[in-house]
Amino acid sequence: MEELFMTMNAINSVNSTTNSYQTGTASKTASTSTDKTTTSDKAETGVVYEKSSQTDKDTVTKKTDYAMVAKLKADAEQRTSQLRSLVEKMMTKQGTAIANADSMWSFLADGNFTVDEETQKQAQADIAEDGYWGVEQTSDRILDFAKALSGNDPEKADLLIDAFKKGFEDATKSWGKDLPDISQRTYDAVLEKFDKWKNGSTTEAAGTETEN
């Protein structure tokens, strides 16, 4: 049961990944805009003509898939909300006060709690290899977020990997100690899938293979 809730905490790092990526992208966009303005000013002052580079006809404009991002976030938030509600009820039943999110994670990290048989069975199903919070589905969702945010642009992989690592570190701090094995395995699976995507060896959901 402890691993299930820790996986939920680690997956909340998706939001941190999203925010970190968007913040980094915004900064780069502002920097690029400033550079363009400076170049424009120089051109007007020096009356210098520069031939614009021809755009490759095969180039595909990569844009953030906001609809997919919203869908993925809504799904994750709904499942996370269900688990948080369960945790809060469990804490209340056992006489543990809920001061804030940190107190909830500390309670779970301590592991000194009991759950009913039905909850335990659901938890075991959710963290199974093919479960919603299992390694495969969780790492797939994180990569799907990355693709949707970047417009499926592998060139943004490094930025997203850094954001994911920061989110994972934040989850570790909230947990208060090293994350359980399932979260560590999820972390490794995410990095492996990022690497494959970055190097063009993944297969798209629609069935189209990327360049090898």
Side-chain angles (χ1 to χ4, degrees):
M1 186 65 179
E2 174 185 345
E3 291 186 346
L4 170 61
F5 292 119
M6 187 50 250
T7 304
M8 177 182 71
N9 190 20
I11 298 317
N12 282 341
S13 68
V14 168
N15 287 331
S16 295
T17 303
T18 303
N19 294 334
S20 296
Y21 172 78
Q22 291 176 332
T23 300
T25 302
S27 297
K28 286 190 173 183
T29 301
S31 176
T32 301
S33 177
T34 301
D35 291 343
K36 286 183 177 179
T37 301
T38 302
T39 302
S40 177
D41 291 341
K42 288 182 179 179
E44 290 178 3
T45 303
V47 195
V48 176
Y49 170 77
E50 294 182 3
K51 182 178 179 181
S52 60
S53 58
Q54 183 176 358
T55 303
D56 190 339
K57 294 181 180 179
D58 296 329
T59 299
V60 178
T61 300
K62 299 179 176 64
K63 296 182 179 179
T64 299
D65 188 343
Y66 292 105
M68 179 59 70
V69 170
K71 181 178 182 299
L72 290 167
K73 288 186 70 174
D75 177 55
E77 287 170 359
Q78 179 182 10
R79 294 297 294 259
T80 300
S81 177
Q82 291 172 353
L83 284 174
R84 280 182 174 167
S85 176
L86 176 63
V87 174
E88 289 174 357
K89 289 178 182 177
M90 182 171 64
M91 292 174 73
T92 301
K93 182 181 293 186
Q94 296 183 356
T96 304
I98 306 174
N100 49 46
D102 288 338
S103 66
M104 182 174 73
W105 295 127
S106 296
F107 168 78
L108 293 172
D110 182 58
N112 187 25
F113 56 83
T114 58
V115 294
D116 58 72
E117 184 178 358
E118 182 180 353
T119 300
Q120 185 175 16
K121 287 182 178 180
Q122 181 61 50
Q124 291 172 339
D126 283 346
I127 64 173
E129 287 300 318
D130 58 346
Y132 183 86
W133 295 113
V135 174
E136 283 306 306
Q137 283 199 43
T138 298
S139 56
D140 280 345
R141 282 197 303 279
I142 291 176
L143 188 65
D144 286 342
F145 263 112
K147 290 181 176 180
L149 282 169
S150 67
N152 199 22
D153 184 1
E155 292 184 2
K156 300 292 193 306
D158 287 334
L159 178 60
L160 286 157
I161 289 172
D162 288 343
F164 166 70
K165 288 180 177 180
K166 183 180 183 304
F168 196 84
E169 289 175 1
D170 290 342
T172 303
K173 290 177 182 177
S174 295
W175 188 243
K177 59 182 180 180
D178 289 341
L179 305 184
D181 179 64
I182 188 172
S183 294
Q184 297 293 346
R185 289 189 288 118
T186 300
Y187 178 87
D188 292 339
V190 169
L191 292 185
E192 181 180 355
K193 290 176 181 180
F194 263 124
D195 185 64
K196 289 181 178 179
W197 176 51
K198 177 181 176 181
N199 293 295
S201 58
T202 59
T203 302
E204 300 300 320
T208 302
E209 294 186 355
T210 57
E211 296 178 4
N212 292 317

